[in-house]
Amino acid sequence: MARHQNYIAGRWGPAESGNYYQSHNPGCPSQVLGEFPRSGPADAEAALTSAETARAIWNKTHAPQRAAILLRFSQLLLESKEELARIITLEQGKALCESIGEVTRAAAEAAFAAGEAVRLSGQTFPSERPGFTCYTVLQPVGVVAAITPWNFPVVSPVRKIAPALACGNTVILKPASMTPWSATYITALFEKAGLPPGVLNLVIGSGECGERLISDARVRGISFTGSTAVGVRIAEKVAGRMAKIQLELGGKNPAIVVQCNDLDTAAQEIVGAAFLCSGQRCTALSRVIVEESQADQLRDRLSAHIAKIRVGNGLDPQTTMGPVVSREQMETVAAYVRKGLEDHATLVAGGRPLTENPETEGYFYAPTLFDHVSPASALAREEIFGPVLPMIRVKGPEEAFEVANSTRYGLAASLFTENPHLVNEFIQKVESGMVHVNHGTASQAHIPFGGVKDSGQGAFSIGPTVKDAFTNVKTVYIKW
Ligand code: NDP
């Protein structure tokens, strides 16, 4: 069995802590994928020293050189697509076609970020006093800690590392404990692309290790994607020292269906966006809000599209939905299904595990649809992060928008309608970082991505807004 290592100061080396843990395949939990470091304080300290020291080297690496390294990395991702996609599927579980899509997407985001390195421009200003030249420049924040979740083990780290490096920062990556293999692989690709030693450091370990990193005064920027609970904890921790922070957190993303003529296309879009990655996407559509007069028809069409989902091992080419990531995640899903039944919601599809003994056969759960869900219930309000879609019936558009805004989250929302007035109203009224009309919640590789309310804080990631996350503005006044 392969024993993987941390990558610090340009060297792959054993954990100072001497502790390792085993990672497993969620589609076949008895399969051990490898041993990975359970890093401790000494490992975090080594990574911090390395990243701080490498700032001087990276500062001297001119923007076009940084861009060239990132473009090489993007190309290497594409060349390694098949192998890396297989690793994603083995450790995360998602269907292989999704994993291939994830690597392709990561390559596109890295290529865009490469271009940002040479677009780090400030502004010039006319002076109110004669003889002055006034302008702003963008400067790197310093050492950035990138802390990532398990649902997108390649795209999530790349979405942080590539723009942070483009902007001239050095980076320490702490990936999710459940998906360290993908992180190891992409770190090796960054090394191969020609990053100088210490500019990117990989420390594999628990949340405690992440907390150690974000608590250190040398870390001037934090980019975190994960649960709202941990995001809030990080924000509280770093508030005292004013480090720059970018938080991408949970969601409870509504699909509103009102005055919609093409219910079949709406259902197809909703099912795609709800059950991709077994519903473990921050932007997964996770509640349907439908006007009563269209609800029966929509429910039947949703059921028909759900019936086409092929649940199975991610490496099987027939599979369109893999397992959930872990036993804990499966238990969470099962607990929400029980709550739904206790709250008298109507179970329309699924609602059960697909294996008798998940510990040996895999964490497979049937795609689940509930109807007649009360907007006040846990199913309708809380992030489940699994293949469960609740349907809430409302009288009309006004109530639909009210229900859409009634959770703590505000990440993504979709509207399906033919009425242009409702489109305008939806865009104005719905409290959400991203809104979609007549399609599911899919993002693109160069367009800002983020949330409001408890779904996020700080600059949006992807696209030109990354510069706000990973640079500081410096204002210059020169008197000649
Ligand atoms: P967690 O918040 O549990 O973990 C995210 C990362 O933070 C992991 O690397 C974790 O390490 C680490 N971590 C845990 N505790 C701490 C701590 N105290 N200090 C610093 N780091 C810590 O989230 P999940 O991995 O379970 O991911 C699922 C969540 O992520 C969902 O809520 C989902 O909505 C959200 N998400 C949001 C996205 C967005 O763009 N808005 C995109 C994708 C996911 P370890 O794994 O070792 O516990």
Side-chain angles (χ1 to χ4, degrees):
M1 185 201 327
R3 175 171 273 199
H4 298 264
Q5 311 291 10
N6 285 331
Y7 181 69
I8 295 172
R11 283 186 301 277
W12 294 93
E16 296 278 345
S17 68
N19 296 327
Y20 286 79
Y21 70 97
Q22 293 182 339
S23 147
H24 299 261
N25 175 354
C28 174
S30 56
Q31 184 186 1
V32 179
L33 300 174
E35 282 190 343
F36 293 87
R38 201 178 286 291
S39 300
D43 300 287
E45 176 55 35
L48 287 158
T49 305
S50 161
E52 180 67 17
T53 310
R55 285 178 61 192
I57 307 166
W58 200 231
N59 278 339
K60 284 190 202 128
T61 310
H62 295 146
Q65 289 171 281
R66 298 201 301 269
I69 292 172
L70 290 171
L71 280 176
R72 246 192 327 271
F73 168 74
S74 167
Q75 190 54 39
L76 287 170
L77 271 179
L78 293 176
E79 286 165 16
S80 323
K81 190 160 56 183
E82 310 292 331
E83 191 179 350
L84 180 52
R86 202 173 137 43
I87 290 173
I88 297 176
T89 293
L90 282 171
E91 71 174 357
Q92 201 280 340
K94 65 179 73 173
L96 193 59
C97 53
E98 285 187 51
S99 300
I100 287 182
E102 179 172 346
V103 180
T104 310
R105 173 61 181 267
E109 290 193 23
F112 181 88
E116 288 300 87
V118 289
R119 290 191 289 263
L120 289 175
S121 51
Q123 283 180 288
T124 57
F125 299 86
S127 170
E128 64 183 23
R129 298 169 63 187
F132 275 78
T133 301
C134 308
Y135 61 94
T136 58
V137 290
L138 299 181
Q139 295 201 311
V141 168
V143 175
V144 168
I147 301 182
T148 53
W150 42 260
N151 58 343
F152 284 91
V154 167
V155 120
S156 197
V158 169
R159 187 170 292 171
K160 298 179 186 315
I161 297 168
L165 295 178
C167 292
N169 304 281
T170 60
V171 178
I172 304 170
L173 170 64
K174 203 301 280 174
S177 298
M178 268 185 289
T179 52
W181 195 5
S182 303
T184 307
Y185 194 100
I186 57 175
T187 302
L189 293 189
F190 272 114
E191 181 186 33
K192 201 168 165 191
L195 266 192
V199 172
L200 171 64
N201 305 275
L202 170 69
V203 187
I204 299 170
S206 66
E208 218 173 293
C209 177
E211 190 143 339
R212 180 106 197 166
L213 293 174
I214 58 115
S215 306
D216 194 282
R218 283 166 288 186
V219 170
R220 298 306 309 160
I222 293 155
S223 181
F224 168 83
T225 299
S227 61
T228 296
V230 174
V232 168
R233 186 178 165 80
I234 290 176
E236 284 169 355
K237 274 243 150 205
V238 302
R241 62 183 185 84
M242 299 296 178
K244 205 155 188 180
I245 191 162
Q246 180 190 48
L247 303 176
E248 299 196 341
L249 309 174
K252 188 70 182 174
N253 312 298
I256 299 174
V257 183
V258 279
Q259 299 176 26
C260 174
N261 294 337
D262 188 356
L263 286 175
D264 193 57
T265 303
Q268 189 179 4
E269 287 279 335
I270 292 169
V271 167
F275 296 103
L276 208 67
C277 199
S278 307
Q280 304 165 121
R281 287 194 312 140
C282 55
T283 52
L285 284 174
S286 45
R287 52 195 172 125
V288 178
I289 303 170
V290 54
E291 66 182 329
E292 182 67 54
S293 59
Q294 304 208 286
D296 285 353
Q297 273 180 298
L298 182 70
R299 179 204 54 216
D300 292 347
R301 288 182 162 87
L302 288 170
S303 301
H305 285 288
I306 286 172
K308 292 182 204 157
I309 296 174
R310 300 284 298 264
V311 183
N313 193 301
L315 292 180
D316 179 343
Q318 304 294 318
T319 293
T320 57
M321 188 179 111
V324 296
V325 77
S326 64
R327 180 168 48 79
E328 291 76 19
Q329 204 66 14
M330 196 165 179
E331 283 167 1
T332 302
V333 169
Y336 273 106
V337 168
R338 278 197 301 278
K339 269 190 213 173
L341 295 170
E342 282 160 20
D343 289 342
H344 308 292
T346 310
L347 183 63
V348 179
R352 65 197 161 82
L354 292 172
T355 41
E356 271 182 25
N357 187 352
E359 282 311 329
T360 52
E361 298 167 62
Y363 307 123
F364 296 98
Y365 202 91
T368 298
L369 177 67
F370 274 103
D371 192 4
H372 298 287
V373 174
S374 156
S377 66
L379 268 192
R381 299 175 64 81
E382 294 171 18
E383 184 184 49
I384 301 171
F385 223 55
V388 180
L389 185 60
M391 224 174 94
I392 303 158
R393 295 177 177 230
V394 292
K395 286 191 219 64
E398 205 173 310
E399 192 186 352
F401 297 145
E402 226 170 80
V403 170
N405 287 341
S406 67
T407 74
R408 62 196 289 224
Y409 297 109
L411 189 58
S414 286
L415 170 71
F416 294 88
T417 191
E418 268 79 41
N419 182 339
H421 301 295
L422 288 181
V423 171
N424 281 337
E425 217 180 319
F426 167 71
I427 294 168
Q428 293 301 323
K429 284 191 177 167
V430 168
E431 297 160 352
S432 183
M434 296 168 283
V435 291
H436 305 258
V437 177
N438 291 330
H439 68 96
T441 41
S443 63
Q444 297 185 20
H446 61 291
I447 300 180
F449 178 101
V452 297
K453 293 163 77 177
D454 283 5
S455 290
Q457 198 186 85
F460 276 23
S461 62
I462 321 186
T465 46
V466 293
K467 289 185 290 227
D468 300 333
F470 296 118
T471 62
N472 290 326
V473 176
K474 183 175 277 179
T475 303
V476 182
Y477 295 89
I478 304 173
K479 188 179 177 200
W480 295 110

